[in-house]
């Protein structure tokens, strides 16, 4: 478990790591993004090791941005800035944000069940965003069948 008082973005030993299951899920998503030819123009990840590792496994790189990690349980902090990112079109491809359930839940009104390793699909509207759906880790695996 992580301890907020000793957690350091630059010291992976102070954080929970991406599990072997999480690594397999990232590689499954990478394969499906490629197979489905989903264009990605921007990858943003929480600076937490597990999120950065998932982004690296899926796309080889990411912009690490602490906006996408909430320290403690103050999910309202910097909410407006996260909403601005979600409302903005990504350019010629899609924006992928690798974050955490609580942080994403603070800005995305999804009525279903959040799961680790799931992908929430949004459509930016310029002033807000629309939730299209959620693809579970198993959903990515079955998409390839």
């Amino acid at each position: 478990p992580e301890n907020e008082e000793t957690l350091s973005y630059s010291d992976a030993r102070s954080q929970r790591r991406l599990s072997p299951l999480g690594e397999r899920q990232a590689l499954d998503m990478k394969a499906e993004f490629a197979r489905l030819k989903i264009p990605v123009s921007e990858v943003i990840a929480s600076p937490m090791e597990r999120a950065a590792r998932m982004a690296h496994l899926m796309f080889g790189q990411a912009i690490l941005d602490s906006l996408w990690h909430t320290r403690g349980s103050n999910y309202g902090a910097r909410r407006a800035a996260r909403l601005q990112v979600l409302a903005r079109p990504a350019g010629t491809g899609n924006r992928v944000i690798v974050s955490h359930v609580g942080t994403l839940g603070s800005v995305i009104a999804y009525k279903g069940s959040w799961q680790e390793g799931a992908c929430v699909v949004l459509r930016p509207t310029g002033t807000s965003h629309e939730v299209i759906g959620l693809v579970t880790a198993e959903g990515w695996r079955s998409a390839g069948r």
Side-chain angles (χ1 to χ4, degrees):
E2 292 162 343
N3 178 334
E4 284 294 323
E5 293 180 21
T6 59
L7 186 140
S8 168
Y9 291 143
S10 61
D11 183 2
R13 294 172 301 171
S14 70
Q15 306 171 33
R16 284 190 305 127
R17 306 297 295 260
L18 185 62
S19 69
L21 173 62
E23 292 199 1
R24 284 192 306 276
Q25 290 171 340
L27 294 173
D28 286 347
M29 286 187 261
K30 174 184 179 172
E32 287 312 305
F33 267 68
R35 188 183 75 75
L36 296 169
K37 296 181 173 74
I38 299 172
V40 175
S41 59
E42 181 180 28
V43 179
I44 303 170
S46 156
M48 295 297 286
E49 190 278 338
R50 62 189 175 276
R53 174 85 176 134
M54 183 163 222
H56 179 75
L57 288 171
M58 290 176 67
F59 303 103
Q61 51 76 39
I63 298 164
L64 301 183
D65 187 344
S66 64
L67 182 66
W68 297 100
H69 174 245
T70 303
R71 305 258 339 211
S73 59
N74 184 8
Y75 295 109
R78 301 176 47 183
R79 183 176 187 272
R82 288 191 292 271
L83 283 168
Q84 286 179 331
V85 173
L86 296 180
R88 187 177 75 231
T92 60
N94 293 284
R95 176 182 302 112
V96 174
I97 299 172
V98 182
S99 185
H100 311 274
V101 170
T103 303
L104 290 172
S106 73
V107 290
I108 299 171
Y110 179 69
K111 304 242 186 287
S113 174
W114 289 89
Q115 299 176 23
E116 293 283 337
C119 177
V120 181
V121 181
L122 306 174
R123 177 181 296 128
T125 65
T127 57
S128 186
H129 61 274
E130 173 188 1
V131 176
I132 305 299
L134 182 131
V135 181
T136 64
E138 175 56 35
W140 287 110
R141 283 190 295 276
S142 57
R145 294 183 197 131

